[in-house]
Structure formats: structure tokens, C-alpha cells
Amino acid sequence: MITGKNYIGNVLTSVGENIFKTFNPEQNKENNWLFAEATKIEINKAVELATEAFKVYKTISGNRKSDFLNEIANQVLLLGDELQEVYCLESGLTKERFLGERTRTLFQLRSFADLIKEGSWVEATIDVGNTERKPNSKPDLRKLNIPLGPVVVFGASNFPLAYSTAGGDTASALASGCPVIVKSHPMHAGTGELVASAIIKAAEITKMPNGIFSNLNSSGIEVGQLLVKHPLVKAAGFTGSINGGRALLNLASKRKEPIPVFAEMGSVNPVVLLPNALKLKAETWAKTYANSITLGSGQFCTNPGLILGLKSEGLSTFIQNLAEEIVKIEPSCMLHPNIIGAYETKKNIVVNEEGVSTVSAAKEKTGVNYGRQLVTTVNGKTFLNNPTLHQEVFGPFSLVVQCEDIEELKEIISKLEGQLTGTIISEDNEVKNYDEIVLALQNRVGRLIFNGVSTGVEVCDAMVHGGPYPASTDSRFTAVGVNSIKRWVRPFSFQNWPNELLPNELKNENPLGILRNINGVKTSEKID
Ligand code: NAP
């Protein structure tokens, strides 16, 4: 049942007077539930509880934390139809999308549970001391990753489950040993509260300290700002707009003690169509891209918003086919009137820029909050000279840039802002002749895709979901896959520490049987 209250640790409270509702974009009306925005007192209480909980939580074994994460997955599943109903009412997303996103969320939780149960993720590194070394003895140094402390997680509008309350940021932070305070996304506060109730229940069942998790409602930017500024908060995770992510990064760096903000932000995900691929398969690729551009009404950070090709008959055929294919696809509901409002504004800005022409637009009459797809085109020189055209238009939109020659294509790629992904469409080994293009693209993105689409982000160990700024605020880390745990830890060394007082990961006996680096060699052996 949705109460509209905040979870401050295990307790539901609502002392604030700022009340708001979520919105059903499919029916174009407000939902009935009333949510109370968290007050400053509630925010402070949540952070203080998290700080206390951290003292205990960081000492809890990987096995017990793993049980906690698995139990969260069990409890989310037990929310059953109620979660599905609220998710759809608050997002306009379909039942199928709900099922897919829930599966992904549970998989993420269980992947982190497996990771910390096994234990080697702490990257234990031991340089055994040598008192005989001349002229100076060598100290014994033992390093492992330790958690940072309370982490604030901002729910994402476009993933009410997988990148929100119990999503990737929360799962990875809890796995690392950090308490989490979620700043719930105002567009799906009910979904957030239900998932929060599952986390709290799991914490109680597995006897985790109170304060390990809190869920705070907000209807504006103040709650998030107070959290990021709070001196006891040690890091933040964010998915959303460049403006939002950048504002939080600035706030965090101005603190007396600056903290990291791992923000995953906008991206246009450039696609390079090589000439032979266009000559031979323009129709096929056009159909593939019509589907990818409109998938989920374009509301993915990996949406292909920029398509680059060399002027040719093949490129003209591709554009013509893309125009024909994309109008065949029925528009779908977007997340919220604000999202569709931003989409309409941004696409109109692009359309009205000099030199931009419309290739194909969806029919005018469609559902109220449905995103009408649009494909535009421009020549390479105009694109190069107009930074407005480089910006993300969040929705079912793409811009096809027609380049004069390979030099222009290379220049365009090298002048792009940082991106999550880059894609090369090539016929057989054609790509071999374009190594400079590949290198230029690699320099701007976090992941290169060969003959595919950027939409669809596999959750696995080798995934990099991040990239040079502004795709993310720190290109050294991924926001997806178990390696995302590294965002919430710091390396820590013990020097000449008594063996019996070391954490189990670093003891001579290797009681956890984990893989360690001992004197430069990876091994699960103990130290004699
Ligand atoms: P957003 O405006 O970036 O907001 C995301 C979250 O950050 C919200 O909870 C928001 O709080 C908070 N926030 C935003 N600006 C802030 C600031 N200056 N200080 C503190 N907190 C701040 O994104 P959105 O509302 O989810 O969607 C709006 C636009 O973001 C979309 O139209 C799209 O352009 C972009 N977006 C991009 C991606 C992507 O993956 N690239 C994903 C989602 C959205 P409040 O909502 O409480 O104000």
C-alpha cells in the first residue's frame, strides 16, 4: 500500500507540508496518491541514521550482505501486481517494459549478491614484508577496497526500477558496504515507495542495521541539493540531464570536503555508416535504425541521436528508407508531460536551425503525451559550425549528417562531446580501411559497437556504461555491471599490521579463499 510517506530508515514519516502527486501520462491526469516531500529535519535524520548504520554495516560479512541483496530481490518480486500497476500508472510504460525492467533489476541485485559472496572484488593486494632487506627492511603492506560511507542515489525518470530505488546505483553501493539514501524521482514516487518498502523488509529479515536505507520524496531540486551538501554524505549517483548532473557536481566540489558525484548524463550516441554498407544494405540498416530511434519512445540514454555518413547514393537511399520506415511505427507514450514538453521544445530548436531539413515526421494526430518521431538532416559543414545541433534531444529523434568527405567526418567525430557509445556500420571488413575514424570515435566514447544498435545495455562484467564528459562525470567508471561497485570504494592499506587484527581478506590464512595479488602474483593460496 502506498502511504506517500518517507522512509527514514525503517520508519515511515511525513512531517512536511509540501504535498505532491504523480501523473499518469497515458490517461493525461494526476494519480490519486499524495506524497509528502521530505523536510530538512527528515533529511538530517536519514543521513545521521545512515552514518550510524555505516559503523555496523561495513563490518558485516560479504555473505550476510549477499543475503540482504538476494532478499531485496525476493521482496521486490513479492510486490507482484501492485508494483506493476503503479509503475504503469506513473510512467506510461507498458506491462512488457515493466516485466523486462524488473527482471533486469532482480538480475542486478543478484549479480552483486554473488560478487560479494565470492569476495575477491575487494582486490586484496599483499606485498609481504622483509626484515632482512638491506639497507632498509621492507614493510609489510596489505591493500583492499573499503566503502566510502553514506551514498545518495538519485532515481532516474526513464528507469523507474533498474536505475532508481533498488536499481544499479543502490545495489552496487549496498554491495560495497555503503548505506544508501535514495532521492526518489518525483515522477514515480509511488513505485519508489513500494520498492523502498521491499528494501526495508529485506533489511529487517536479514537483520541489517536501521538506517542502512532511506527513501526521501521530493517534488523539486531542494531535497537533492541538501543531501549532496550534507557533510556526512560521502558520494552521489545520478542519471538524468546534463544540467542536473552538472549542478550536483558543482555543489559537491564546492563543499568543504568535496565528494565524488557519479553522474550518467546526456548522449547522442553517434553512428557512422560506412560507404559499402550503405551501398549494399541501406534499406536493412534504415529499418533497423527506425526501430532503434523509436524504441521506448526514444527515452534511453543510448538512443542513436546522431547518424553520420558520407554524401553518396547509398546515404540518400538510407535517408529515404529511414523516412519511410519510421512513419510506419506507431508513436508511444512518453514518461511525463514535462519530458514530452522538453522533447517538443528541443526538437523545434533543431528544426528551426539554419540548414536543417526534416526527413520524416510522424503524423500530427496521436495520443496526448505520445512522442512523435522526427528525423532531420544537415550537411557536415553546418553541423560542425553549430553546437546547438550537437545536443541531445531526449526522445524519438535523430539527425543525419551528410559529410563531404572522410576528413570532414573525422573532424566532426573529433569535435563531438563525450558519448556513452559510438557505432560503426560496415560491410565485411570495410572498417579496416577506416582506422582513423575508429580511433577518433574511440577517443570520444565509452563503448564501440560494430554492426548493431546502441540501444540495449547488457548487464555483464565487461560492460562500460559511461564515457568522457558529459556522458558521465568520471569516465574511469561504469554505471552498469558489477564493476560499477568501484565507484563507492577507496583503496586502503595496512602497514605492518598484526595478522590477527587484519580483515579476513588480508589475513595470511586467506580464510575466505579469495583470489589475491601476493607479491605480484594472482593466487588463492595462503601465506606461510
Ligand atoms: P533531470 O532534470 O536531470 O532530473 C533528474 C533528477 O535530478 C531529478 O530528481 C531532479 O530533481 C534532480 N535535479 C535536477 N536538477 C537538479 C539540480 N540543479 N539540483 C539538484 N537536483 C536536481 O532529469 P529528468 O527530470 O529525469 O528528465 C528531464 C530531462 O533529463 C529529460 O527531458 C532528458 O533530457 C534528460 N534525461 C536524460 C537521461 C539520459 O539518460 N541521458 C535520462 C533521464 C533524463 P526534481 O525532479 O525533484 O526536480
Side-chain angles (χ1 to χ4, degrees), residues 157 183 185-186 218 220-221 225 238 241 244 247-248 265 301 392 394:
S157 59
K183 202 237 56 139
H185 199 288
S218 78
I221 61 175
Q225 295 191 334
F238 170 93
S241 65
L248 295 174
M265 303 177 287
C301 41
E392 178 188 39
F394 191 70

Side-chain angles (χ1 to χ4, degrees), residues 195-401:
V195 176
S197 73
I199 299 177
I200 294 296
K201 202 156 182 193
E204 287 169 348
I205 291 170
T206 55
K207 300 194 169 32
M208 292 295 141
N210 182 23
I212 192 66
F213 178 81
S214 289
N215 183 58
L216 305 180
N217 294 323
S218 78
S219 61
I221 61 175
E222 202 190 348
V223 172
Q225 295 191 334
L226 286 170
L227 281 167
V228 169
K229 284 196 285 190
H230 198 294
L232 295 176
V233 165
K234 298 299 175 196
F238 170 93
T239 302
S241 65
I242 294 179
N243 284 347
R246 182 69 206 219
L248 295 174
L249 181 69
N250 290 348
L251 266 189
S253 65
K254 281 191 194 132
R255 289 169 41 130
K256 187 171 173 210
E257 178 197 346
I259 54 167
V261 172
F262 297 102
E264 190 260 278
M265 303 177 287
S267 202
V268 294
N269 303 295
V271 180
V272 178
L273 305 167
L274 295 181
N276 274 348
L278 284 178
K279 203 166 159 188
L280 297 170
K281 293 197 184 126
E283 293 89 346
T284 312
W285 285 117
K287 198 166 182 177
T288 302
Y289 271 88
N291 284 320
S292 179
I293 293 163
T294 51
L295 188 73
S297 217
Q299 300 167 116
F300 293 118
C301 41
T302 50
N303 195 54
L306 183 67
I307 300 176
L308 308 168
L310 298 173
K311 270 186 192 165
S312 62
E313 209 183 310
L315 184 59
S316 302
T317 311
F318 172 84
I319 293 171
Q320 194 191 327
N321 278 274
L322 182 60
E324 285 164 16
E325 290 297 331
I326 207 158
V327 285
K328 291 183 193 163
I329 296 167
E330 278 301 314
S332 54
C333 192
M334 294 191 83
L335 295 160
H336 193 274
N338 290 353
I339 298 276
I340 195 161
Y343 172 56
E344 292 294 334
T345 306
K346 285 184 185 165
K347 78 178 183 184
N348 285 333
I349 290 174
V350 173
V351 168
N352 290 321
E353 288 297 308
E354 211 179 319
V356 175
S357 47
T358 296
V359 169
S360 181
K363 57 183 185 241
E364 283 296 320
K365 275 206 181 323
T366 181
V368 182
N369 293 308
Y370 280 40
R372 286 178 298 124
Q373 54 267 41
L374 178 73
V375 176
T376 53
T377 189
V378 71
N379 72 43
K381 191 166 176 218
T382 309
F383 181 81
L384 263 177
N385 294 326
N386 187 348
T388 303
L389 302 179
H390 298 217
Q391 302 309 309
E392 178 188 39
V393 177
F394 191 70
F397 170 89
S398 201
L399 172 64
V400 184
V401 179

